[in-house]
Amino acid sequence: MHTCSKCVMPETSESLTFDNEGVCSVCRQIEFKQTGIDWDAKRAELNEIVDPVRGKYDYDCIVPFSGGKDSTFTLLYLVKDMGLKPLVVRFDHGFMRPTLQDNAHKTFRTLGVDVQHFTPNWQVVRKLMLEALRRRGDFCWHCHTGIFSYPMWVALEKKVPLVIWGEPSAEYSSFYSYDEDEEVDERRFNSFVNLGINAEDMLGMLDDSISDYPVTERDMKPYRYPPAADLRKMRLRSICLGSYIPWDVKAQVKRVKDELGWVGDQVEGVPPEYDYEKIECFMQGVRDWTKYLKRGFARTTHLTSIDIRNGRKTREESIELVKDYDGRRPPSLDLFLRYLDITEEQYMEIVSQHAVAPHVMPTLDEVRAAGMQPKLHDYDKWSRVVGDMSKDEQAS
């Protein structure tokens, strides 16, 4: 399998291309970001977007917020550096971890912000997770779509014409690059966020194999992008802060730790030095494991590649970490299988249909021989409630 000659990302990574020197497109994008952008001019552009709405509405902007490092830094920057009054909007994907919730609580109280929290119907989420796993080998469809569409509905309802997100996708993938304008709009939503399945199509795919909850069109609204005509009428802009200031994850993590008391956490399959990455979801280990089975790499490959691009790690150091951390089954998979009421054999069979060549997916026997990752410190606090009384009573 071909791997980037600069970082350690493989050819099976979605959206990646390679030039004639064998360097991947994301490495080239980051080179352009570091040398080809006038960041003073970009910062002035940001002021030109913000100034016309500042103080004109109940809130200056909407900030979609998970509580991870990127949304926390974005909120900090907008409140403290730019003096804005945002409305924080949280879409609860169902798997938020205790440390993450403590961080959010400290952040909201320290910065002084209003917060709107939405938790979607769990039985709908279960059905969406299973169908997305079957159709795309990615059970996070409800999370991808809900996080990016629900705040837009709130912006419409609250009549706030500006939504500000954190990092642009050009930082990590090549659906967009740093030399083009990236707005978090319907084009972006349909390009890769919804995995090519819109809410109406997904509704028609659902069955009652794990829940008899009668999902209707109304249940799907949080996962559907608002009508373009309504957004245009309000002249709503939806932008990434990282398109206007140079994004530097490690510097930003230091700042949220210093100024907000934000605390890192360990994630399954990730070296402890990356205690800031994807700490918001206790299903993250399963998501990374599924990616490993399909594409032959997991989060350590991705994280160490970021460090290589920023001159913080050598390629050789990255390769050693990838050997140690990518490729072992996470304990959280047991919980995931329980939520979806499937066996590990059934899960492997579904995922195998989405494996990306030239990677060859390991067999279940090979997975078991490789051993398990250790349980995380808060593993026993993750909810075991499925919402099916017979299964919940059986497990208690």
Side-chain angles (χ1 to χ4, degrees):
M1 188 157 64
H2 178 66
T3 302
C4 175
S5 59
K6 182 175 180 181
C7 71
V8 291
M9 292 297 292
E11 62 183 305
T12 51
S13 177
E14 194 175 20
S15 80
L16 222 60
T17 58
F18 296 84
D19 64 16
N20 55 13
E21 296 178 26
V23 178
C24 78
S25 44
V26 175
C27 281
R28 294 304 191 202
Q29 289 162 203
I30 300 303
E31 289 173 5
F32 182 78
K33 167 190 147 183
Q34 293 167 341
T35 60
I37 297 177
D38 180 346
W39 287 107
D40 290 336
K42 296 300 289 185
R43 182 65 169 78
E45 279 184 40
L46 178 61
N47 287 334
E48 290 173 3
I49 295 171
V50 169
D51 287 345
V53 301
R54 188 191 293 270
K56 301 284 179 60
Y57 308 93
D58 288 346
Y59 300 96
D60 296 322
C61 62
I62 300 285
V63 177
F65 185 93
S66 67
K69 64 188 190 312
D70 297 311
S71 59
T72 301
F73 170 77
T74 299
L75 185 61
L76 170 71
Y77 187 89
L78 296 177
V79 171
K80 295 189 75 171
D81 294 26
M82 299 192 70
L84 296 178
K85 176 181 173 60
L87 172 62
V88 175
V89 177
R90 303 193 81 192
F91 180 90
D92 185 344
H93 45 58
F95 311 110
M96 289 184 173
R97 296 177 65 185
T99 300
L100 185 282
Q101 299 291 50
D102 290 343
N103 284 337
H105 191 63
K106 283 186 288 188
T107 297
F108 300 152
R109 289 200 168 190
T110 302
L111 294 178
V113 291
D114 291 347
V115 181
Q116 181 165 321
H117 190 115
F118 175 74
T119 304
N121 182 323
W122 168 247
Q123 292 305 331
V124 177
V125 167
R126 285 183 73 212
K127 286 189 167 190
L128 294 175
M129 287 171 62
L130 178 58
E131 196 57 37
L133 180 69
R134 289 168 171 166
R135 299 277 174 173
R136 292 289 183 265
D138 184 345
F139 62 90
C140 297
W141 185 91
H142 80 285
C143 180
H144 302 317
T145 56
I147 282 176
F148 284 100
S149 61
Y150 181 74
M152 305 302 286
W153 285 108
V154 175
L156 279 176
E157 292 163 5
K158 299 288 185 185
K159 296 180 171 45
V160 179
L162 181 60
V163 180
I164 303 180
W165 308 77
E167 80 282 16
S169 68
E171 187 74 8
Y172 305 120
S173 64
S174 292
F175 294 105
Y176 289 83
S177 65
Y178 267 109
D179 62 354
E180 60 183 322
D181 294 328
E182 180 179 352
E183 294 236 354
V184 189
D185 56 13
E186 189 170 13
R187 174 198 160 199
R188 185 181 186 275
F189 186 82
N190 290 327
S191 294
F192 61 92
V193 170
N194 68 3
L195 308 176
I197 306 175
N198 64 35
E200 290 77 10
D201 290 339
M202 181 62 90
L203 177 61
M205 296 172 182
L206 300 179
D207 61 31
D208 290 342
S209 58
I210 56 169
S211 170
D212 59 3
Y213 178 84
V215 183
T216 68
E217 189 175 347
R218 290 193 301 172
D219 294 306
M220 300 301 288
K221 181 179 176 180
Y223 313 103
R224 190 174 72 242
Y225 210 77
D230 293 346
L231 299 174
R232 279 199 299 269
K233 185 178 180 181
M234 211 171 80
R235 296 183 178 179
L236 192 151
R237 294 286 305 273
S238 178
I239 62 174
C240 298
L241 179 62
S243 296
Y244 301 93
I245 67 170
W247 207 251
D248 184 340
V249 166
K250 295 222 171 180
Q252 292 161 193
V253 167
K254 181 177 187 311
R255 189 169 171 198
V256 297
K257 285 183 175 179
D258 291 345
E259 297 184 32
L260 298 173
W262 193 89
V263 177
D265 212 340
Q266 194 164 2
V267 173
E268 289 173 315
V270 174
E273 65 183 275
Y274 297 104
D275 71 343
Y276 51 81
E277 177 76 12
K278 292 295 181 187
I279 69 168
E280 55 266 41
C281 177
F282 63 75
M283 282 292 110
Q284 188 60 46
V286 179
R287 178 167 167 73
D288 292 337
W289 174 241
T290 306
K291 177 185 283 188
Y292 176 81
L293 294 176
K294 286 166 41 184
R295 300 179 182 274
F297 74 97
R299 189 151 297 275
T300 300
T301 298
H302 165 74
L303 290 171
T304 58
S305 291
I306 294 172
D307 273 352
I308 292 171
R309 294 173 192 135
N310 288 284
R312 293 165 176 153
K313 201 174 286 298
T314 67
R315 196 166 186 278
E316 290 69 30
E317 290 170 333
S318 297
I319 290 171
E320 289 305 309
L321 281 174
V322 168
K323 285 180 185 173
D324 290 341
Y325 284 92
D326 279 358
R328 284 197 295 157
R329 180 194 186 280
S332 58
L333 183 62
D334 292 330
L335 193 51
F336 175 79
L337 299 174
R338 176 175 155 74
Y339 288 150
L340 297 194
D341 197 21
I342 58 176
T343 65
E344 188 165 8
E345 287 77 6
Q346 290 171 318
Y347 161 78
M348 293 288 286
E349 173 58 28
I350 293 171
V351 175
S352 69
Q353 298 168 30
H354 302 279
V356 179
H359 167 66
V360 177
M361 183 171 148
T363 65
L364 187 52
D365 286 342
E366 290 170 333
V367 166
R368 287 170 176 160
M372 291 268 285
Q373 299 168 20
K375 289 182 180 177
L376 300 184
H377 69 95
D378 58 347
Y379 179 82
D380 292 334
K381 296 179 181 178
W382 303 345
S383 176
R384 269 66 178 165
V385 177
V386 173
D388 180 321
M389 291 295 288
S390 62
K391 293 183 175 61
D392 291 339
E393 288 174 356
Q394 191 177 29
S396 63

